[in-house]
Amino acid sequence: MASVTVWNEFVHEREHDAVEEMYPHGIHETIADALAERGHETRTATLQEDEHGLTSDVLDETDVLFWWGHTAHDEVDDAVVERVCDRVHEGMGFVALHSGHFSRPFKRLMGTPCSLTWRENEERERLWAIHPEHPIVDGIENPVVVPEAETYGEPFAVPEPDELVFTSWFEGGEVFRSGCCYRRGLGRVFYFRPGHETHPIYHDETIQQILANAAEWASENADTPADLDTENVTEPPESAYRD
């Protein structure tokens, strides 16, 4: 099992009563508890901590970093963004959750705007596993039904996924690539869409199992050609990234 750090900006739960009622100890604690119940070793970190709780020592002990952010993306320090991305290239897994598509680490790892269309509503979502043999969907019934969800829609400005695991359909007709797998350096990256803060998404046992599966999958290093010299890799210039 993996050593997982669950990061959350921890803003909505402290400022909005409805979110605090849904996640009284924070989204990060709910996710961490669910992963721990399924055998993973977990810790949490938040925006408000020194170095956002993501010191070099913490990341060195982290196999997979989960990231939930929404309204405070720009408050994440440059040095922390660089540290996280460096660790992914070195082999740490990274799981971006819901509005974490706009997080600075994810955008830097993708090298694209990561923009999309959205509507804040309460429509049913059907999350279809279109890669049923993938480890992330192990033991998951198809489709996963989310009774109330914020709607995301295409176009989703990310690179073509190495593997597309989930596609969502919403009552309003939108479709969206909701489970995208990437390899960055030696690290594995997974984007998972469900998780709006005013809905009980992370209390759902099926969603929790998907996250646990994702932690296990992302904890393994990406396949690397035997002749790739990972000790001497030239990084692209900072201007190549679109934060």
Side-chain angles (χ1 to χ4, degrees), residues 159-215:
E160 190 69 23
D162 296 329
E163 297 169 302
L164 182 59
V165 179
F166 292 106
T167 295
S168 288
W169 171 89
F170 299 90
E171 284 186 85
E174 290 91 345
V175 294
F176 190 76
R177 290 169 288 170
S178 288
C180 303
C181 294
Y182 299 94
R183 291 161 178 81
R184 292 295 182 267
L186 296 178
R188 290 179 170 185
V189 177
F190 181 57
Y191 171 74
F192 188 57
R193 194 215 69 81
H196 189 58
E197 67 277 1
T198 61
H199 301 312
I201 306 294
Y202 297 124
H203 293 291
D204 183 275
E205 290 190 1
T206 301
I207 298 297
Q208 292 176 354
Q209 186 60 53
I210 292 171
L211 298 184
N213 291 349

Side-chain angles (χ1 to χ4, degrees), residues 32-177:
D33 288 348
L35 296 177
E37 289 174 2
R38 290 162 175 80
H40 295 293
E41 177 185 335
T42 63
R43 66 174 63 81
T44 62
T46 64
L47 178 71
Q48 296 76 25
E49 298 174 50
D50 290 341
E51 300 183 64
H52 311 320
L54 299 176
T55 64
S56 295
D57 288 344
V58 168
L59 292 180
D60 286 345
E61 296 175 359
T62 299
D63 296 325
V64 183
L65 176 61
F66 279 67
W67 192 285
W68 197 99
H70 187 196
T71 64
H73 298 309
D74 292 342
E75 297 180 30
V76 178
D77 188 75
D78 289 347
V80 173
V81 175
E82 182 174 357
R83 186 181 304 151
V84 167
C85 292
D86 284 348
R87 282 289 294 115
V88 172
H89 292 143
E90 294 166 0
M92 182 182 73
F94 186 86
V95 179
L97 299 170
H98 190 56
S99 46
H101 70 91
F102 256 160
S103 69
R104 295 190 65 209
F106 185 72
K107 289 174 68 176
R108 179 163 177 171
L109 290 165
M110 296 298 102
T112 61
C114 300
S115 55
L116 47 81
T117 63
W118 62 276
R119 290 183 295 116
E120 187 169 353
N121 51 12
E122 296 185 355
E123 292 186 2
R124 181 182 297 109
E125 173 184 8
R126 286 191 173 91
L127 192 67
W128 292 94
I130 62 171
H131 191 342
E133 298 83 14
H134 198 281
I136 290 177
V137 301
D138 184 39
I140 304 300
E141 293 188 6
N142 195 17
V144 178
V145 177
V146 180
E148 296 180 350
E150 180 184 37
T151 299
Y152 280 12
E154 297 285 347
F156 186 20
V158 292
E160 190 69 23
D162 296 329
E163 297 169 302
L164 182 59
V165 179
F166 292 106
T167 295
S168 288
W169 171 89
F170 299 90
E171 284 186 85
E174 290 91 345
V175 294
F176 190 76
R177 290 169 288 170

Side-chain angles (χ1 to χ4, degrees), residues 10 13-14 17-30 203:
F10 199 30
E13 302 95 323
R14 300 161 69 236
D17 292 343
V19 183
E20 181 184 12
E21 183 177 354
M22 186 72 65
Y23 297 104
H25 303 293
I27 287 172
H28 52 298
E29 294 291 351
T30 298
H203 293 291

